[in-house]
Amino acid sequence: MLFQVGGQGARPTFFEMSAAQQLPASLRAALSYSFGVFALRRPSLHKVLDYEDEFFALLMSVLESHSLRTTDGSFSESLYGLRRRPVNVSVNRSNPGAESNVKVYDSALRKRQKTLSVVFLVVLPYFKSKLQSVYNKEREARLQASLWDQGEVRFDEAGFVSDQQGETSQAQVETTAGEVSHLTRLRTNFAALIGVCYPWIHATHEG
């Protein structure tokens, strides 16, 4: 599958790097759609869809760990014939006219580098996905507040919409016994913080 369009020798091309980066997202979308179709006939599969982030993170951790251990590359990188190589950069200060640094490539990744690779490939995307879900709920709550002109609306622990101005629905009053717990308030404040900070987090990550 290795193709060199505008590449230089054994160096990966931009298209290979872009395709390898987009493959996990495409794989997740395909798996989610497949499980959604199968869940129509097998209702038990809805439990997998309820924990979609955890299931996909577990699957990718197995695939990435195995791929890094056998091919020194991520799962998507190995499909395109790419591999990761550690590099030691030494600064040359004795001769000012020479190159500023010298790169020495090692043959294989060390165990610590493989562990960090799994963290960046699996753990960080998992937390980003959870923050995305919290941000989506917060945005839906704000949208509903703007449509109904009810002030600031937040999702509580049970998933119901709560009005911060003191006007709550009768169903919520019955479930919460008239007073929001301290833990729920912390979660509400955290959701509000994510609603403000997540766009900047997302822009920084994509940049």
Side-chain angles (χ1 to χ4, degrees):
M1 290 188 181
L2 183 62
F3 56 93
Q4 295 291 336
V5 181
Q8 299 179 0
R11 288 186 176 183
T13 64
F14 171 79
F15 301 102
E16 290 173 328
M17 298 298 295
S18 178
Q21 184 179 7
Q22 296 175 2
L23 182 61
S26 302
L27 178 61
R28 176 170 182 168
L31 289 177
S32 299
Y33 177 78
S34 300
F35 277 108
V37 173
F38 291 147
L40 297 177
R41 295 185 177 182
R42 301 283 184 176
S44 60
L45 293 178
H46 281 289
K47 296 181 180 180
V48 177
L49 296 177
D50 293 338
Y51 298 95
E52 177 183 352
D53 295 332
E54 289 75 12
F55 173 78
F56 186 76
L58 179 61
L59 175 63
M60 292 306 298
S61 64
V62 174
L63 293 178
E64 301 291 6
S65 300
H66 175 74
S67 180
L68 287 168
R69 186 172 59 252
T70 56
T71 64
D72 283 343
S74 66
F75 173 71
S76 57
E77 292 167 354
S78 62
L79 295 179
Y80 290 92
L82 305 177
R83 62 189 296 261
R84 301 188 176 196
R85 298 177 61 186
V87 56
N88 296 324
V89 180
S90 59
V91 180
N92 187 5
R93 298 180 179 178
S94 59
N95 189 1
E99 294 184 357
S100 59
N101 52 48
V102 178
K103 296 181 180 180
V104 179
Y105 294 94
D106 295 334
S107 58
L109 294 176
R110 294 183 290 271
K111 183 177 180 180
R112 177 176 175 273
Q113 294 172 331
K114 294 179 181 180
T115 303
L116 289 177
S117 297
V118 173
V119 170
F120 279 94
L121 291 170
V122 179
V123 179
L124 292 185
Y126 168 74
F127 283 112
K128 184 175 181 293
S129 178
K130 302 302 289 185
L131 292 178
Q132 177 73 43
S133 62
V134 174
Y135 173 74
N136 290 337
K137 290 183 179 181
E138 180 70 13
R139 185 177 60 179
E140 291 175 1
R142 291 184 177 182
L143 179 60
Q144 185 173 1
S146 63
L147 292 177
W148 293 95
D149 194 19
Q150 293 179 347
E152 296 184 358
V153 179
R154 298 289 185 268
F155 280 89
D156 60 3
E157 182 179 2
F160 298 101
V161 178
S162 60
D163 189 349
Q164 297 299 318
Q165 292 181 347
E167 298 179 357
T168 56
S169 62
Q170 184 64 28
Q172 184 185 359
V173 171
E174 293 177 357
T175 56
T176 59
E179 185 176 5
V180 182
S181 64
H182 180 66
L183 180 60
T184 305
R185 290 180 180 178
L186 290 178
R187 292 184 178 181
T188 302
N189 295 333
F190 177 75
L193 180 63
I194 293 301
V196 176
C197 298
Y198 180 77
W200 297 98
I201 298 175
H202 178 71
T204 303
H205 178 267
E206 293 298 325

